[in-house]
Amino acid sequence: MSRLTVPSPDDVPDDAKGILDTIGRQFGFVPNMFTTLASNPTVLDVVMTLQNTLSRVLDAKTRHTIALAVSQANDCDYCLAMHTYVSSELGGMSSDDIDLARAGGSTDPRRAAVARFAQQVVESRGQVSDADLAAVRDAGYTDAQILAIVTVAVQVLLTNFINNVNQTDVDIPAVNPAATTV
């Protein structure tokens, strides 16, 4: 059961209703995470603005790979379910590639390097080694792209933390635990 207040549809603040309507059109329903965020419209706006802005920094499959890898490393059940759903239903990722991303890998060597690096960012709290940076650079990523990878990872951590604190009720298909290494 969620530990933070989840407003009923009648209690959603007016300045959050439009955002929730947009989310509802995108998913066909409003996921619990967003309804919870609606209790503070400014926080909802920050999360949505960040997600929308970061949709321009890397291709969708790479962003999905980061989201899955980070959510797995951070043990966020809600975000794993959400990102698995989005990656599969909206992002065109296969179930094998979703499982690999959660484990820090990918069928694509470049995305595998991103998944491993994103998990290292989480596990080391940003204190990655020179070897970690070299590995992602060797996969062909520039320093500007590495900044984008870290920023997407931190954006995912934001929602992981919110959902872990809240213990948000999973209202999308739950996922099975994946291995944490490839």
Side-chain angles (χ1 to χ4, degrees), residues 38-52:
S39 68
N40 185 328
T42 301
V43 173
L44 176 62
D45 184 54
V46 165
V47 168
M48 295 308 299
T49 299
L50 190 57
Q51 287 181 351
N52 290 335

Side-chain angles (χ1 to χ4, degrees), residues 71-174:
S71 295
Q72 181 70 45
N74 205 38
D75 294 324
C76 184
D77 293 338
Y78 189 88
C79 293
L80 281 171
M82 175 63 79
H83 292 298
T84 297
Y85 175 82
V86 170
S87 297
S88 172
E89 299 302 312
L90 305 175
M93 288 179 70
S94 70
S95 60
D96 287 343
D97 216 18
I98 289 168
D99 289 344
L100 284 169
R102 291 180 58 194
S106 175
T107 56
D108 177 270
R110 281 178 50 90
R111 284 199 307 273
V114 165
R116 282 189 297 277
F117 183 73
Q119 286 186 333
Q120 271 309 116
V121 168
V122 172
E123 291 166 4
S124 70
R125 294 185 179 111
Q127 308 263 345
V128 296
S129 68
D130 290 342
D132 295 327
L133 276 172
V136 77
R137 283 180 177 136
D138 288 347
Y141 288 94
T142 65
D143 286 358
Q145 291 169 317
I146 292 169
L147 287 172
I149 294 164
V150 172
T151 304
V152 170
V154 170
Q155 179 267 315
V156 173
L157 278 175
L158 170 64
T159 55
N160 285 178
F161 286 0
I162 289 168
N163 287 299
N164 282 344
V165 165
N166 186 35
Q167 296 179 356
T168 306
D169 293 330
V170 177
D171 57 343
I172 48 183

Side-chain angles (χ1 to χ4, degrees), residues 11-74:
D11 293 331
V12 170
D14 289 340
D15 43 351
K17 287 180 180 177
I19 297 171
L20 292 184
D21 288 345
T22 300
I23 293 166
R25 283 190 299 277
Q26 181 183 6
F27 287 98
F29 69 103
V30 179
N32 284 337
M33 177 185 83
F34 298 107
T35 304
T36 301
L37 292 176
S39 68
N40 185 328
T42 301
V43 173
L44 176 62
D45 184 54
V46 165
V47 168
M48 295 308 299
T49 299
L50 190 57
Q51 287 181 351
N52 290 335
T53 301
L54 291 178
S55 70
R56 299 188 306 257
V57 298
L58 297 163
D59 69 90
K61 285 187 179 180
T62 299
R63 291 190 321 275
H64 293 314
T65 297
I66 294 167
L68 290 160
V70 167
S71 295
Q72 181 70 45
N74 205 38

